[in-house]
């Protein structure tokens, strides 16, 4: 079950479909909801925003919940209110239930009033009092267990005293295997404010250095985590309790020495406000998320296969917190304006700029938890704030770390919305020289990568490939992005990409043939081969006018087999097109000669080069015969 819904209050209200034949429009926001489903990775997927209603559905033979999309009125959800399904209400604005064994659903309401109305409808169908937070006991165990439990309606907790810690630990451990006992234990802990009492005893144990008591508290708190209960997490992760909860988890009985998690969080881990955050709720949410993530990643022992699902609520708590943080930062225009102003200001010192870029990179990484439409709005906001001109300024700077972080941010933008990046680079080409265009800066960084393995260059080549891929280009009624962008790319950028190739192939063999140069040329050839396959006349004109194939075939003489094979693959791709213009160009310029020479130099060795050349001539023979 999730912790809390992403904030819906910031979304503008638009009408949505109602129930019944008329499908009347609803103008109020009370029934406005987001529909979430839990995926295989135990993450919540956003299925869309719409308006919820309840009515009798003939086909399902019962009262049902319907959600119609606010965008087009289509049906996002049609779910019969099953008399035996356990529905849970959490946080006043969230209703969660399971449709089938592995299919969990959640409705996140914009307003508490709407949530209460639908909750009453569900309780009405199931004959329950709407004051409950869960409509059914989660019963999974055998009939015998069920019969035993029916005779004891609640779970009696021992009084919270130091002398009874062992008894409490045993009770928690014995309750975990049974879903019904877990449920009863959770309710008892909630109703009696038990967690705060346990944390008071924790202070006493630490003061007395009572190691046995601290070991029992570790087992108790770890067990409470495995109850997977949002209401308990609310208490444990509150400002006043969270550090004590982490303290309890320092005393693992299986370790000879206690861990110093609190010391790390208070002294080593420093919270840096690169731009002051004025909203205290947001600041508190960031602290809380960092600490809960720390608990999940570092403090709690790695869960066994059986415990994995028991921590699903913890994952959801972090997930929805991140969604909320991104939303709150996104709406704070002053914060984002200051961020981008300082990023691009020449007066900003290098250390500060590095912190700003790292923050922006982390901000973009957080956005990966958002659903597609929310991520769309997120990147739109960043685009409106001028993220691309800012990246252009940063990529032109000398600091390698800052440039590396800027490249990571650029990769988020390209992967999410290549069209937005293409539109920007085409617009800036009208005002700037070719050498400072964003796309050319990216090519320059690729060419100048100092890493012997060219890790950065490989990443950048992938981004360039995405940008020049016609498959993700849009076509509208009056213009096509493909024609415009490829026209721009071949005019302003292609000469920068091919410069290392042309500089290295002026003679009969490569002028530089070290491993790093060979790797870079192989990457460039890979992209050019992709262009041959996807760009038709743009690349054809470029290859024939600049005599590119002749230059590429010089690399057949490289001592690096992988580069020679890249050159051959480039030529094979051209021949495979069976294009008359290419064929005439190859014959007129005697461009089989370097291939035949490489074949003869390979001698009698039966290797990949030998096979690839024979395959190419066999292809030509078969095509000619036809």
């Amino acid at each position: 079950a999730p912790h809390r819904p992403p904030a819906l209050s910031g979304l503008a209200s638009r009408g949505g479909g109602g129930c019944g034949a008329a499908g009347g429009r609803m103008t109020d926001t009370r029934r406005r909801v987001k529909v979430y489903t839990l995926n295989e990775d135990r993450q919540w997927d956003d299925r869309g925003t719409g308006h919820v209603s309840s009515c009798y559905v003939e086909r399902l033979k019962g009262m049902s919940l319907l959600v119609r999309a606010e965008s087009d009125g289509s049906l996002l959800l049609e779910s019969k209110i099953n008399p035996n399904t356990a529905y849970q209400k959490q946080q006043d604005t969230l209703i969660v239930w399971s449709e089938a064994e592995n299919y969990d659903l959640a409705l996140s309401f914009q307003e508490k009033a709407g949530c209460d109305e639908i909750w009453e409808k569900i309780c009405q169908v199931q004959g329950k009092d709407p004051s409950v937070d869960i409509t059914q006991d989660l019963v999974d165990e055998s009939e015998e267990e069920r019969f035993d439990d029916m005779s004891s309606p609640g779970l009696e907790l021992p009084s919270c005293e130091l002398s009874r810690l062992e008894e409490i630990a045993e009770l928690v451990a014995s309750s975990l295997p049974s879903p019904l006992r877990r449920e009863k234990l959770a309710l008892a802990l909630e109703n009696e404010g038990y967690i705060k009492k346990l944390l008071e005893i924790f202070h006493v144990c630490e003061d007395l250095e009572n190691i046995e008591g601290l070991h029992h508290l570790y087992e108790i708190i770890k067990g409470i985590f495995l109850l997977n209960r949002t209401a308990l997490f609310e208490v444990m992760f509150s400002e006043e309790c969270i550090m004590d909860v982490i303290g309890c988890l320092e005393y693992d009985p299986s370790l000879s020495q206690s861990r110093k998690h609190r010391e790390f969080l208070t002294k080593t881990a420093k919270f840096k406000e690169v731009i002051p955050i004025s909203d205290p709720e947001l600041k508190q949410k960031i602290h809380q998320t960092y600490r809960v993530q720390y608990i999940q990643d570092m403090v709690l022992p790695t869960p066994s296969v059986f415990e994995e699902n028991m921590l699903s609520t913890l994952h959801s708590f972090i997930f929805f917190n991140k969604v909320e943080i991104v939303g709150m930062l996104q709406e704070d225009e002053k914060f984002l304006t200051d961020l981008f102003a300082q990023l691009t200001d020449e007066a900003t010192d290098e250390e500060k700029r590095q912190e700003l870029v790292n923050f922006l990179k982390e901000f973009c990484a957080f956005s990966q938890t958002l659903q597609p439409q929310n991520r769309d709005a997120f990147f739109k906001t960043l685009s409106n704030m001028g993220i691309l001109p800012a990246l252009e300024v940063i990529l032109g700077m000398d600091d390698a770390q800052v440039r590396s972080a800027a490249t990571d941010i650029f990769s988020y933008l390209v992967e999410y919305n290549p069209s937005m990046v293409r539109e920007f680079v085409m617009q800036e080409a009208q005002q700037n020289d070719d050498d400072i265009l964003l796309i050319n800066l990216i090519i320059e960084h690729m060419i100048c990568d100092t890493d012997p393995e060219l890790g950065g260059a490989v990443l950048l080549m992938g981004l360039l490939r995405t940008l020049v891929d016609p498959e993700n280009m849009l076509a509208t009624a009056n213009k096509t992005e493909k024609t415009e962008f490829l026209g721009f790319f071949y005019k302003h950028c292609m000469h920068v990409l091919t410069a290392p190739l042309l500089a290295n192939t002026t003679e009969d063999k490569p002028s530089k043939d070290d491993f790093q140069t060979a790797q870079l040329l192989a990457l460039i050839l890979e992209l050019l081969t992709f262009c041959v396959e996807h760009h038709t006349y743009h690349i054809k004109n470029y290859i024939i006018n600049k005599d590119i194939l002749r230059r590429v075939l010089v690399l057949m003489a490289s001592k690096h087999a992988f580069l020679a094979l890249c050159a051959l693959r480039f030529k094979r791709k051209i021949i495979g097109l069976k294009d008359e213009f290419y064929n005439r160009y190859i014959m007129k310029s005697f461009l089989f000669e370097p291939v035949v020479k490489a074949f003869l130099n390979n001698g009698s060795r039966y290797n990949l080069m030998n096979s690839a050349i024979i395959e190419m001539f066999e292809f030509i023979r078969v095509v000619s015969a036809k």
Side-chain angles (χ1 to χ4, degrees), residues 149-167:
D149 276 310
M150 280 165 66
S151 57
S152 57
L155 190 78
E156 196 69 38
L157 286 170
S159 57
C160 198
E161 296 165 17
L162 181 55
S163 58
R164 304 190 72 175
L165 282 179
E166 186 173 0
E167 194 183 331

Side-chain angles (χ1 to χ4, degrees), residues 348-362:
T348 306
D349 67 69
E350 282 190 15
E351 192 180 340
K352 175 75 170 171
R353 196 186 316 276
Q354 199 168 324
E355 287 173 1
L356 290 164
V357 174
N358 283 337
F359 169 80
L360 190 54
K361 177 181 162 183
E362 203 168 323

